[in-house]
Amino acid sequence: MTKYARSLRVFTLTVSMFLFLIITSFSGGDDDGPQSFHFKTVVIDAGHGGKDPGAHGSYSSEKNVTLAIAKKLERLLKDNMPEVNVVMTRSTDRFVELNKRANIANQINANLFVSIHCNSSPEGTAKIAHKEKGVMMLVYGFHRKEEQIEALRENASIYIEKDYQKNYAGYNEKDPTSMIVLNTFMQKYRKQSILFGELLDEQFKGNDGRRSRGVKEQGVLVLAHSAMPAILVETGYINNNTEEKYLNSEDGQNAIANSIFRAIKAYRRQIKPVK
């Protein structure tokens, strides 16, 4: 590393630490009281889209399932919570870059970011016994690489993007500068993200009888720079024949959308008591 590069790294690190301290001091961290929180805007992110089909089953693609569920959730929110602004990152079969999805939410100061996806296990659509099934909620966090199977699969979408090396050059978990910047967002909203994930977990298990793998922390890029509580919902394993039928059915999609909707209502009640 050259002397100039070392100086630049030190300067960047110093600035990042300074910004971290400022943001933390003004934000109040996770200890902000419920009265300081105003729940006004929800962003619904239908995973994948366009040239990025996502995971696939024997006859369907993740991008189509996620969009169908997202639209049903949008309608539930607009019909039953008209005071809440609902924004979709995509409403059609189009490709939206991962970093732009979070930017959409950041630019409108959203209060909650919900990214809808389908899971897939390594054996693909092969018919084997004891195939993976169930839901999973992901919040942003760093863990060992072998614990990040879902994150690695979801993050693969960046390689479809034209300028992915430039857009994601800062995501390096070995770089302390990157970690300070990312942790500024992650730590501020971690507890609220986990709270929403746990509420959603209760809805899936208690109301729908779904098997759940719980709430996990992984380095999912679509959540990395969300300046608000954010969660990625793996709604089921599309490569499991039984789950694929459920994910593509009206009943299944309605049940999933209703579970997310009920969790959003419960989350709002806990964050800001109804006056």
Side-chain angles (χ1 to χ4, degrees), residues 9-27 176-177 180-181 184:
R9 173 61 62 82
V10 171
F11 173 76
T12 305
L13 182 59
T14 303
V15 171
S16 299
M17 291 179 69
F18 178 69
L19 289 173
F20 174 75
L21 292 172
I22 290 177
I23 294 171
T24 303
S25 63
F26 279 97
S27 69
T177 305
I180 288 174
V181 174
T184 301

Side-chain angles (χ1 to χ4, degrees), residues 13 16-17 19-20 23-24 102 106 140-142 155 167-190 218-228:
L13 182 59
S16 299
M17 291 179 69
L19 289 173
F20 174 75
I23 294 171
T24 303
N106 292 342
Y140 191 77
F142 294 110
N155 293 347
N167 292 338
Y168 304 98
Y171 296 103
N172 180 359
E173 58 190 82
K174 295 181 181 179
D175 183 349
T177 305
S178 300
M179 291 305 95
I180 288 174
V181 174
L182 290 176
N183 277 316
T184 301
F185 294 100
M186 185 176 72
Q187 292 303 324
K188 176 172 170 55
Y189 299 107
R190 178 177 176 271
Q218 294 196 11
V220 186
L221 289 178
V222 73
L223 306 178
H225 277 174
S226 299
M228 71 224 47

